Amino acid sequence: MVDNHQKNLATFIHLSTFSRFIIPFGNFIGPIVLWAANKEKSEFIDQHGKQAINFQISVLLYAIIIGTITVPFFIFNLFNGMDVIDFHGFHNFHINVGKPSPLLYIGGGLGALAIIGFIVELALIVRASLSARDGHIYNYPLTINFLK
């Protein structure tokens, strides 16, 4: 039987990921501290802690992948038409905003995907928190289980 204290702790584990807006890496520090201090007290808390941490690590991994793919598209578009071999300073450097390249569209699309992913992440955290509050186990979608 899951009591209210366990439900509250599991809820706070999920909600502590929002501390990243105040503390750098708070989305990892908050859940890890709460989970590590309380994982032996309840299997319910242990499962929610692992899910929250695994989700945050997975989101970080996905963000790194999207960023790694997106940044070169913006860099190639920025330096498009610039002669690297015969470079004489920045007096001939200009950015053509009249005709965007397809690389900019791809990079912009990936950037939009990252923004949509961020919004979905926030919604999933709230959903997991509500599930923990109700005493149910929540498994985040697309989560790689680093902690088992």
Side-chain angles (χ1 to χ4, degrees):
M1 177 90 187
V2 180
D3 63 0
N4 281 338
H5 181 67
Q6 293 171 352
K7 291 178 188 178
N8 289 339
L9 277 172
T11 302
F12 286 131
I13 286 173
H14 291 290
L15 292 177
S16 69
T17 61
F18 290 131
S19 65
R20 71 175 166 204
F21 298 117
I22 301 169
I23 303 167
F25 299 107
N27 57 328
F28 296 106
I29 296 169
I32 288 172
V33 167
L34 288 171
W35 171 68
N38 298 295
K39 67 182 176 180
E40 262 105 62
K41 295 178 183 175
S42 165
E43 181 65 27
F44 183 75
I45 294 171
D46 187 41
Q47 288 177 342
H48 276 279
K50 287 178 184 176
Q51 277 296 308
I53 295 165
N54 284 333
F55 182 64
Q56 291 303 312
I57 295 171
S58 298
V59 166
L60 176 65
L61 181 65
Y62 298 145
I64 289 171
I65 290 170
I66 289 176
T68 304
I69 294 170
T70 305
V71 169
F73 286 117
F74 284 111
I75 291 174
F76 290 145
N77 189 54
L78 184 66
F79 293 114
N80 188 18
M82 188 172 162
D83 192 3
V84 178
I85 296 170
D86 190 24
F87 184 73
H88 299 292
F90 287 101
H91 64 284
N92 290 332
F93 181 75
H94 66 283
I95 298 174
N96 186 2
V97 293
K99 183 180 164 192
S101 91
L103 295 175
L104 187 62
Y105 290 129
I106 294 169
L110 289 170
L113 180 66
I115 292 170
I116 291 169
F118 174 72
I119 294 168
V120 169
E121 176 194 1
L122 296 179
L124 288 174
I125 291 169
V126 170
R127 186 171 181 185
S129 301
L130 294 174
S131 179
R133 179 199 67 183
D134 294 337
H136 304 293
I137 298 295
Y138 184 80
N139 293 318
Y140 288 98
L142 301 172
T143 300
I144 303 167
N145 289 323
F146 297 102
L147 302 173
K148 296 183 184 204

